Amino acid sequence: MRQTPDSGQAQSYDQVGKYLHWSFGGLAALTIFGLALITFVDVLARYLFNSPIPGAYEISELVMGVMIFAALPVVTWRGSHITIDLLDAITPQWISGWRDAFMFTISSGVVAVLGWELWALAATLASYGDVTEYLRIPIHPVLQVMSLLAWVSSLIALFAAVVSIKRALASRNS
């Protein structure tokens, strides 16, 4: 089994995982709850009163983007991304640590670029005054939040890379 930064191997890193879980995980949970509530009320209103919530689809789209990016810091810290672990059982721990550090570094760069592109898109949409079609909600603030969450995930991935390197060096020396 892979050792992730919050896998319990080092107590100091467990506090980081707990903080991320309660802050960003809590934000993700609230957005999921909001999305479920909007969907539930919309379906109920549609079938009981033949009157769906106006703009429920638009609200759901915006909330989903925030939900995904709010969960990303926690998923990154835990190393819970989709992985293929065919060779993990036979790979020495010191190699796994360097591999994980490499992958976290690559992930950090990719997510940082994603955050940059989201911020640029938000600036473009703000300059156009782009809003949702029905409710006229400005889109750029949601994209800015998603961008900031992507950058937080990028920093967490870099920190996880450092933790993986420390683990690789510790396992090599022992």
Side-chain angles (χ1 to χ4, degrees):
M1 180 177 152
R2 284 181 54 195
Q3 292 180 0
T4 59
D6 78 339
S7 64
Q9 302 301 317
Q11 292 300 320
S12 62
Y13 299 126
D14 285 342
Q15 294 297 22
V16 174
K18 287 179 186 175
Y19 172 76
L20 292 173
H21 175 76
W22 286 107
S23 58
F24 295 106
L27 177 60
L30 283 174
T31 57
I32 290 171
F33 177 74
L35 183 62
L37 186 63
I38 289 166
T39 304
F40 174 75
V41 172
D42 185 47
V43 169
L44 196 65
R46 175 173 288 138
Y47 288 107
L48 291 181
F49 307 112
N50 200 24
S51 177
I53 296 175
Y57 182 75
E58 290 177 353
I59 295 169
S60 297
E61 285 180 317
L62 297 174
V63 169
M64 262 194 260
V66 173
M67 176 186 64
I68 290 166
F69 281 89
L72 193 57
V74 179
V75 169
T76 300
W77 180 251
R78 290 182 179 171
S80 299
H81 301 286
I82 296 173
T83 58
I84 300 171
D85 57 359
L86 293 174
L87 301 176
D88 281 357
I90 60 172
T91 305
Q93 183 61 37
W94 68 273
I95 291 176
S96 295
W98 286 106
R99 179 207 57 214
D100 291 346
F102 176 74
M103 294 311 295
F104 276 124
T105 304
I106 296 294
S107 294
S108 174
V110 169
V111 175
V113 169
L114 178 62
W116 182 265
E117 290 296 324
L118 282 168
W119 192 268
L121 178 61
T124 302
L125 294 180
S127 72
Y128 294 158
D130 202 10
V131 294
T132 61
E133 187 175 341
Y134 188 77
L135 295 177
R136 315 294 296 163
I137 300 170
I139 298 171
H140 72 276
V142 175
L143 291 175
Q144 289 171 330
V145 168
M146 291 165 53
S147 176
L148 292 173
L149 290 168
W151 286 332
V152 167
S153 298
S154 177
L155 292 174
I156 290 169
L158 278 180
F159 185 62
V162 170
V163 171
S164 296
I165 289 170
K166 287 182 178 182
R167 238 184 234 136
L169 293 172
S171 68
R172 184 72 170 152
N173 294 332
S174 59

